Amino acid sequence: MPSFKAKYSYTIKRGANPGGGGGGNMTTDKDYSLNLSVQQVLSLWVQGSALHHFTEMWYWVFLWCLFSSLFVHGAVGLLMLVMLQRHKRGRLITLVLVSVGFLASLSGGVITSAAVAGVYRVAGKGMAPLEALVLGVGQTTLSVVISFSRILATL
């Protein structure tokens, strides 16, 4: 599948002697492929065994957070449309509330995904694709639980 790799991944090649001076026999090239495709994220398919770069980890966790947040906000938006169909401004209220809620969870997802990826990167640990799924969906789940609980009202 060379065409798949060229189409859906970004490859960085680093040699043992990038400056070209001195040395001699060290010609080992390491292939660092970044898995930055939505298709790869949704299929949980990764080149190699785990995600090792900060960018990969952040992207995967963020996309799972984004997709689960889209699902939750889409379902809530449909429910709001059905419940507010007879209200004079029901569609406008639905549109405003769903978009504000989605944008708030999106910005929170960007920050928390970067924090999670940073911790994994600093620890030197690779992230399995299933871990990215659990962490991304977990962010949305935690957001829903905190929204429905009365924790924020007590602060």
Side-chain angles (χ1 to χ4, degrees):
M1 291 188 218
S3 63
F4 184 79
K5 182 179 177 185
K7 189 174 181 184
Y8 292 112
S9 67
Y10 177 74
T11 303
I12 302 169
K13 291 211 178 211
R14 293 184 185 166
N17 196 1
N25 296 0
M26 301 285 282
T27 59
T28 58
D29 284 339
K30 294 181 181 177
D31 187 20
Y32 298 103
S33 297
L34 297 178
N35 300 295
L36 298 177
S37 163
V38 175
Q39 182 180 4
Q40 286 175 331
V41 173
L42 290 176
S43 66
L44 293 176
W45 180 84
V46 63
Q47 277 181 311
S49 60
L51 307 167
H52 294 288
H53 297 281
F54 172 81
T55 309
E56 286 179 323
M57 290 186 263
W58 173 81
Y59 186 72
W60 280 59
V61 173
F62 171 69
L63 278 185
W64 280 113
C65 181
L66 174 73
F67 294 144
S68 60
S69 183
L70 274 173
F71 176 76
V72 167
H73 283 86
V76 169
L78 285 174
L79 180 66
M80 285 176 65
L81 277 175
V82 169
M83 297 303 287
L84 295 173
Q85 66 183 349
R86 293 191 181 145
H87 192 276
K88 185 177 179 181
R89 294 188 182 102
R91 291 184 196 142
L92 178 65
I93 293 169
T94 299
L95 180 67
V96 169
L97 288 179
V98 169
S99 61
V100 166
F102 177 71
L103 289 176
S105 66
L106 184 70
S107 60
V110 167
I111 294 167
T112 55
S113 297
V116 168
V119 168
Y120 268 78
R121 183 68 185 129
V122 168
K125 185 177 183 286
M127 181 186 288
L130 195 58
E131 284 179 86
L133 167 70
V134 169
L135 290 169
V137 173
Q139 287 177 17
T140 301
T141 305
L142 198 61
S143 165
V144 168
V145 167
I146 289 173
S147 296
F148 279 110
S149 70
R150 301 294 264 162
I151 294 172
L152 291 178
T154 62
L155 296 179

